[in-house]
């Protein structure tokens, strides 16, 4: 566990930052973009939790926040450095847990008969924001994966997580007795 004694280091003032392996790269590099978006996603989940989501969602979302830190560490260390610098990484078990969560939540929801719009309760709306940020993180990771090697489960994880956040938003509305906002294709 790192010990942080000072938040500022002044090392990033030139527009570069360090990866976990010590490499200096530009702050606008695809890798930094990707894990910056993952960090943003984690913050959106923190806001959703602060809204006071139903109890059934709180524990899984806190676990997911922790897993997003795993994803950040996964991205912060180059694949070729992971043998010498082992860090928590996203594994297939994390993807499996998201699928199980969706199955469990969906078992209480009615099937979708129409597209829905982000909304309903404040918590559900914030989960939809998280879903869209997650999709952006996934796109960032796909772009990075075209240029560099990334963890084998990272894209799968974000793909499932965006779906899980969609289901969680629906579940939050359901538990709060608020109807999903349906898309009106004739409006």
């Amino acid at each position: 566990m790192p010990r942080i004694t000072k938040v500022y280091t002044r090392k990033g003032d030139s527009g570069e930052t360090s990866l976990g392996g010590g490499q200096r790269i530009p702050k606008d590099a695809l890798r930094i973009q990707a894990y910056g978006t993952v960090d943003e996603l984690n913050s959106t989940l923190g806001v959703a939790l602060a809204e006071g989501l139903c109890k059934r969602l709180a524990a899984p979302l806190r676990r997911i926040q922790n897993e997003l830190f795993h994803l950040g560490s996964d991205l912060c260390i180059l694949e070729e450095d992971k043998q010498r610098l082992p860090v928590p990484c996203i594994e297939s078990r994390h993807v499996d847990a998201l699928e199980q969560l969706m199955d469990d939540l969906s078992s209480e929801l009615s099937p979708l008969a129409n597209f829905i719009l982000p909304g309903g309760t404040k918590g559900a709306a914030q989960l939809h924001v998280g879903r869209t940020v997650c999709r952006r993180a996934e796109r960032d990771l796909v772009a990075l994966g075209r240029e560099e090697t990334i963890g084998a489960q990272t894209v799968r994880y974000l793909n499932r997580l965006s779906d899980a956040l969609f289901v969680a938003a629906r579940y939050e509305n359901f538990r709060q007795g608020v109807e999903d906002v349906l898309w009106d294709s004739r409006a």
Side-chain angles (χ1 to χ4, degrees):
M1 188 64 78
R3 183 170 177 223
I4 301 170
T5 57
K6 236 182 191 183
V7 172
Y8 67 92
T9 63
R10 299 186 178 129
K11 293 179 183 176
D13 293 350
S14 65
E16 289 189 338
T17 191
S18 293
L19 295 177
Q23 301 89 343
R24 298 286 294 170
I25 64 171
K27 288 187 173 188
D28 62 353
L30 286 174
R31 185 169 291 275
I32 303 305
Q33 177 81 22
Y35 71 76
T37 306
V38 169
D39 187 34
E40 180 184 351
L41 170 58
N42 207 336
S43 295
T44 67
L45 298 185
V47 173
L49 284 161
E51 288 292 343
L53 299 174
C54 68
K55 290 182 192 263
R56 174 65 182 90
L57 293 177
L61 287 173
R62 291 196 196 292
R63 184 194 78 236
I64 289 166
Q65 282 191 294
N66 196 68
E67 291 168 359
L68 289 171
F69 256 79
H70 287 1
L71 180 53
S73 71
D74 201 329
L75 293 169
C76 174
I77 304 289
L78 299 174
E79 291 303 301
E80 57 266 22
D81 289 342
K82 286 183 179 169
Q83 287 289 35
R84 115 183 128 79
L85 298 168
V87 293
C89 293
I90 294 298
E91 302 170 10
S92 60
R93 67 185 173 95
H94 297 114
V95 176
D96 294 343
L98 291 173
E99 291 175 354
Q100 186 62 57
L101 175 64
M102 283 188 279
D103 290 345
D104 292 347
L105 297 177
S106 294
S107 71
E108 295 184 48
L109 299 174
S110 60
L112 277 174
N114 194 356
F115 289 107
I116 64 169
L117 301 176
T121 66
K122 285 183 179 182
Q126 187 61 40
L127 289 168
H128 280 292
V129 171
R131 173 185 56 79
T132 62
V133 173
C134 188
R135 286 289 187 205
R136 181 162 31 95
E138 181 184 6
R139 291 189 303 272
D140 290 347
L141 218 51
V142 167
L144 175 61
R146 276 199 214 88
E147 304 291 324
E148 303 177 36
T149 304
I150 57 174
Q153 299 298 319
T154 56
V155 173
R156 280 185 72 222
Y157 179 81
L158 288 176
N159 184 272
R160 289 314 180 288
L161 179 55
S162 62
D163 292 340
L165 293 173
F166 175 81
V167 173
R170 290 194 67 221
Y171 188 83
E172 175 65 12
N173 279 338
F174 168 72
R175 295 301 294 175
Q176 300 301 334
V178 174
E179 293 288 322
D180 284 323
V181 181
L182 299 179
W183 173 50
D184 182 354
S185 63
R186 290 168 270 156

